[in-house]
Amino acid sequence: MAQRELKRELENRHVQLIAIGGTIGTGLFLGSGKAIQLAGPSIIFAYLIVGIAIFFVMRALGELLLSKAGYQSFTDIAEDYLGPRAAFVTGWTYWFCWIMTAMADIIAVGIYVQYWFDIPQWIPEVLCLIILLGLNLLTVKNFGELEFWFALIKVVTILALIAIGVILVVIGFKTDAGMVTVKNIWGHGGMFPNGISGFLLSFQMVVFAFVGVELVGVSAAETSDPQKNIPSAINKIPLRILFFYVGAIIALLCINPWTELSPAESPFVKTFALVGIPIAAGIINFVVLTSAASACNSGMFSTSRILYNLGKNDQAPSGFAKLNKNHVPKNGLLISTLVLSAGALLSKLIPEQAFGIVTTISAICFIWVWGVVLICHIKYKKTQPQLHEKSKFKAPFTPFINYVVLALFAVILIIMLFAEETRPALLLTPLWFILLFVLYSSNRRKKAK
């Protein structure tokens, strides 16, 4: 029987919407409340700074992915430019990144459902995981279709929010919090009401808001025309950052003075409730619920593909490299879902702290992965100048911009070290890397015997 391979069933519309779905998720719909509380209106600048940095990471990733037809993941790139140890650590760390991110998303599902039903958070979380597992076990096209419609809902919601914000500003609409006006952005303590420290402390949640943007790269193995679709998706990232993130935040702050927003609830739901449309608030809660489910769906997709590639490259048990009759990595999907269910357990044990813990760990690990992409690109340009010259999708301003973005990531990690809420997770995360280095060395010794 011929070896089954991942099927290229994702069309251009799927890849484009996966890219949008990756840039709009729980970090914006729920996490922005916490970020706004910390930074006030200066959160706009934080989103711009991190968004621009991520765009350069994505351009580096895009050039690397298209430089060799056989690349299917970060691990392939890391192995070529940094060696097998780096590939092992990066591959497993990327899996862990998405596990933590999907845990945050599944915790968010439980929080959103409580808007309607007074039930324990973990119950809807488990039900959501079961439904998504069933859909993902069928075909990759199911994943693409699911993400297409989920992302479409997110896009329509943000478009509606921005349109409503513009209309309310124009007509001078009054809410319980006062008049809807552009002056609300700076009229409650200025752009930096909590000083530079509050602005800097918001970066952890802002970084988390962007996790998943690189999923367009992970989906490269399953797109029908990567040479066309991947550059198209990556080049639209700046416009999406400006429009969906900055546009949405500006609309929120025009309708609500930032002081009215709570870190414990979605500012999107709060905004529509404040405007005086209770049914709209319920609809928006449904939208952010589907957004969290969408992001969790992306997490299940990516973690199963990461385990598949690790299994194929002999960096994980060979069982992960097996595909079912629908060309889906069933074993990787089942194991990832089982580990993800720990998010429901966290919701049961520490419901108030669970979201903050997993988002911090996720942000730290994603900084590692993005950093590896930038370092690989530096080595690629230095050791493969002929490939860089031939590339039709050259990353701009390299290698200078690579070093600038790496420096920004280092500063964000230092900020996390000084912040009381993020320090414990930052100090614990190195244990994950120590474990991986020990496992890699142990596996090498076993193979040597």
Side-chain angles (χ1 to χ4, degrees), residues 197-380:
S197 62
F199 170 67
L200 294 175
L201 289 173
S202 71
F203 272 78
Q204 176 267 321
M205 193 54 75
V206 172
V207 168
F208 176 71
F210 283 99
V211 302
V213 67
E214 75 303 312
L215 185 58
V216 66
V218 176
S219 64
E222 295 172 79
T223 179
S224 53
D225 188 0
Q227 293 290 334
K228 177 186 174 186
N229 298 337
I230 290 175
S232 175
I234 289 173
N235 281 334
K236 288 172 183 168
I237 287 172
L239 189 60
R240 287 172 185 148
I241 289 165
L242 279 170
F243 195 78
F244 293 116
Y245 277 88
V246 179
I249 295 296
I250 288 173
L252 286 173
L253 294 177
C254 286
I255 298 168
N256 302 274
W258 72 273
T259 50
E260 296 291 319
L261 297 173
S262 164
E265 62 181 333
S266 170
F268 286 78
V269 177
K270 167 78 173 176
T271 297
F272 280 88
L274 193 64
V275 169
I277 320 173
I279 189 167
I283 291 168
I284 296 304
N285 193 69
F286 173 75
V287 168
V288 295
L289 172 62
T290 63
S291 171
S294 158
C296 186
N297 185 45
S298 295
M300 292 171 75
F301 172 85
S302 58
T303 51
S304 63
R305 270 60 182 178
I306 295 161
L307 290 180
Y308 169 78
N309 280 299
L310 289 170
K312 262 184 90 173
N313 296 329
D314 202 27
Q315 293 172 333
S318 58
F320 289 135
K322 293 180 181 176
L323 302 174
N324 67 8
K325 64 182 180 181
N326 296 320
H327 300 264
V328 171
K330 177 184 174 183
N331 294 339
L333 196 54
L334 290 171
I335 291 296
S336 292
T337 306
L338 186 64
V339 178
L340 268 178
S341 63
L345 180 63
L346 278 175
S347 284
K348 184 173 174 59
L349 298 176
I350 45 170
E352 291 181 6
Q353 293 84 30
F355 186 76
I357 291 169
V358 295
T359 54
T360 302
I361 295 173
S362 172
I364 294 164
C365 291
F366 266 102
I367 285 172
W368 165 279
V369 172
W370 294 335
V372 166
V373 169
L374 292 169
I375 293 166
C376 285
H377 190 265
I378 291 168
K379 288 206 74 174
Y380 152 83

Side-chain angles (χ1 to χ4, degrees), residues 10 13-14 17-22 24 132 141-154 215 290-299 301:
L10 294 182
R13 68 186 178 92
H14 293 138
L17 267 293
I18 287 169
I20 293 175
I24 308 169
L132 292 178
K141 200 156 189 177
N142 276 8
F143 165 78
E145 285 298 326
L146 206 59
E147 276 306 288
F148 177 83
W149 292 107
F150 273 151
L152 205 56
I153 290 170
K154 298 182 202 181
L215 185 58
T290 63
S291 171
S294 158
C296 186
N297 185 45
S298 295
F301 172 85

Side-chain angles (χ1 to χ4, degrees), residues 26-62:
T26 306
L28 177 62
F29 285 127
L30 182 60
S32 57
K34 174 70 173 174
I36 291 168
Q37 183 205 39
L38 288 167
S42 65
I43 193 66
I44 296 167
F45 304 129
Y47 275 113
L48 275 173
I49 291 167
V50 177
I52 291 166
I54 296 303
F55 170 67
F56 287 115
V57 173
M58 288 301 298
R59 282 300 302 259
L61 175 61

